[in-house]
């Protein structure tokens, strides 16, 4: 019996000595969690998009591409896609450019540098729901923003009831929320760039702008890839801002894709159709991440 036990232990040890087996053995717990909480739900979502999504006694029935055809023929879906595109572009670009500029400034020895870093980062730890309620109060018809406009002789703007101005309020909140996190990431990236590169550029007579363009930006390439991808994902999954501030209105002008999926799934209980829209969102996110990696990472 002991001999068999020793033989089994020896065989198992020999298997662990095999690098391929050892790698899969130690990765197995993480892969199992990945399958249960990521791959499995994505697969079920994809399957659900080809059904009627009914959870009644009759059960789900296969409808093929019907849900995707409904998406293509639904004008509301195109409005939501345009809203999402507008929101994403208008949010991502400032959420990268502004934190990058702040990080470059705060990376220098300026007065109150530690305090300013903390102040800029605070929005990142504030709940989006609480921030949304605050912005709704600020931009209501008789809120502080319109009071300030009236004080300087500008006609008050119906921010939250206007199809033109409601979306900029949500965009402003999203930029404000993402600014601190991206700034801290850029600061970490800046501190990883060797000082010798700047010294060499300065000896060659490079100006401050030339040092930023030819030293800072290339050195920040991996950081830019990371912040761009995380910001795009954060923007595409935006829900709380719309839910708290506008509820998708006025006239569907602020309805984003995630909020639209929520409405169809839990408002209309049309889970199959909502799953199809969610699959489209997943495909968009994957395509954007792929092109960002190809564009930014091709020379890395």
């Amino acid at each position: 019996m002991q001999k068999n036990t020793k033989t089994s232990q020896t065989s198992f040890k020999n298997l662990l000595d095999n690098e391929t087996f050892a790698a899969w053995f130690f990765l197995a717990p993480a892969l199992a969690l990945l399958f249960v909480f990521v791959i499995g739900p994505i697969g079920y979502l994809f399957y659900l998009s080809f059904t009627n999504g009914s959870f009644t006694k009759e059960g789900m029935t296969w409808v093929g591409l019907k849900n995707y055809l409904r998406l293509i023929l639904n004008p509301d879906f195109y409005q939501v896609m345009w809203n999402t595109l507008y929101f994403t572009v208008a949010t991502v670009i400032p959420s990268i450019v502004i934190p990058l500029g702040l990080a470059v400034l705060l990376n220098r020895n300026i007065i109150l540098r530690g305090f300013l870093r903390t102040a800029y980062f605070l929005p990142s730890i504030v709940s989006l729901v609480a921030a949304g309620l605050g912005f709704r109060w600020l931009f209501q018809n008789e809120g502080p923003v319109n009071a300030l406009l009236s004080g300087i002789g500008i006609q008050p703007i119906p921010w939250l009831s206007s199809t033109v101005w409601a979306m900029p309020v949500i965009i402003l909140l999203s930029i404000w929320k993402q600014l601190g996190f991206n700034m801290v990431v850029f600061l970490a990236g800046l501190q990883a760039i060797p000082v010798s590169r700047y010294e060499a550029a300065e000896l060659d007579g490079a100006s401050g702008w030339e040092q930023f363009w030819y030293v800072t930006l290339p050195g920040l390439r991996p950081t830019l890839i990371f912040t761009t991808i995380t910001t795009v994902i954060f923007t595409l999954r935006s829900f709380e801002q719309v839910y708290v501030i506008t509820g998708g209105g006025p006239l569907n002008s602020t309805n984003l894709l995630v909020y639209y999926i929520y409405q169809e799934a839990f408002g209309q209980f049309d889970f199959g159709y909502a799953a199809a829209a969610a699959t489209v969102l997943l495909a968009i996110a994957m395509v954007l991440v792929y092109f960002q990696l190809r564009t930014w990472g091709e020379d890395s």
Side-chain angles (χ1 to χ4, degrees):
M1 183 71 177
Q2 291 179 352
K3 185 177 180 179
N4 291 336
T5 303
K6 290 181 179 179
T7 303
S8 300
Q9 291 175 348
T10 303
S11 301
F12 183 70
K13 187 176 180 181
N14 290 335
L15 282 173
L16 288 180
D17 288 338
N18 184 302
E19 292 184 1
T20 303
F21 176 81
W24 282 108
F25 177 78
F26 290 112
L27 283 173
L31 290 174
L33 291 174
L34 182 68
F35 180 81
V36 171
F37 293 105
V38 179
I39 299 175
I42 290 175
Y44 182 73
L45 173 71
F46 188 65
Y47 162 75
L48 192 63
S49 69
F50 291 98
T51 71
N52 63 350
S54 174
F55 294 99
T56 60
K57 290 182 180 180
E58 290 77 10
M60 284 186 281
T61 57
W62 186 267
V63 296
L65 296 174
K66 182 179 177 181
N67 291 322
Y68 292 96
L69 184 61
R70 288 174 58 197
L71 282 176
I72 294 173
L73 298 177
N74 190 345
D76 288 340
F77 179 71
Y78 288 102
Q79 175 66 43
V80 169
M81 290 295 292
W82 166 250
N83 293 343
T84 304
L85 175 64
Y86 167 35
F87 173 76
T88 302
V89 173
T91 300
V92 170
I93 294 176
S95 295
I96 299 296
V97 175
I98 297 174
L100 177 58
L102 290 173
V104 171
L105 292 175
L106 293 178
N107 195 45
R108 302 172 181 175
N109 293 320
I110 62 173
I111 300 174
L112 300 176
R113 181 174 63 174
F115 169 76
L116 289 174
R117 287 180 180 179
T118 304
Y120 283 122
F121 185 73
L122 279 177
S124 299
I125 62 176
V126 176
S127 164
L128 255 177
V129 174
L133 291 172
F135 268 69
R136 191 172 71 177
W137 171 72
L138 286 171
F139 287 93
Q140 61 184 338
N141 289 340
E142 298 179 358
V145 173
N146 276 338
L148 178 63
L149 293 177
S150 299
I152 59 177
I154 299 176
Q155 190 71 19
I157 298 172
W159 298 96
L160 304 183
S161 58
S162 168
T163 56
V164 175
W165 293 106
M167 183 66 85
V169 173
I170 297 176
I171 291 171
L172 182 62
L173 169 58
S174 301
I175 295 171
W176 176 81
K177 178 68 177 171
Q178 191 71 8
L179 186 146
F181 175 81
N182 286 350
M183 185 198 69
V184 169
V185 174
F186 281 130
L187 277 170
L190 287 170
Q191 292 168 7
I193 300 175
V195 180
S196 58
R197 295 184 185 179
Y198 292 100
E199 293 173 348
E202 192 171 351
L203 288 173
D204 288 339
S207 63
W209 171 252
E210 289 173 332
Q211 291 181 35
F212 173 78
W213 189 258
Y214 294 108
V215 178
T216 302
L217 282 183
L220 283 177
R221 182 181 291 274
T223 308
L224 280 168
I225 295 171
F226 173 79
T227 51
T228 303
I229 290 174
T230 54
T231 304
V232 168
I233 292 173
F234 167 80
T235 305
L236 286 176
R237 68 172 183 81
S238 295
F239 170 80
E240 295 93 333
Q241 304 97 305
V242 179
Y243 183 82
V244 173
I245 298 178
T246 63
L251 300 178
N252 214 34
S253 62
T254 61
N255 197 355
L256 303 179
L257 191 49
V258 172
Y259 189 75
Y260 180 72
I261 293 167
Y262 163 79
Q263 285 181 315
E264 295 299 324
F266 301 103
Q268 305 297 327
F269 296 102
D270 196 347
F271 292 101
Y273 180 76
T279 303
V280 171
L281 174 61
L282 176 63
I284 292 171
M286 293 178 67
V287 169
L288 287 175
V289 169
Y290 171 77
F291 279 109
Q292 285 166 12
L293 290 173
R294 284 291 302 271
T295 303
W296 289 89
E298 58 187 3
D299 297 327
S300 296

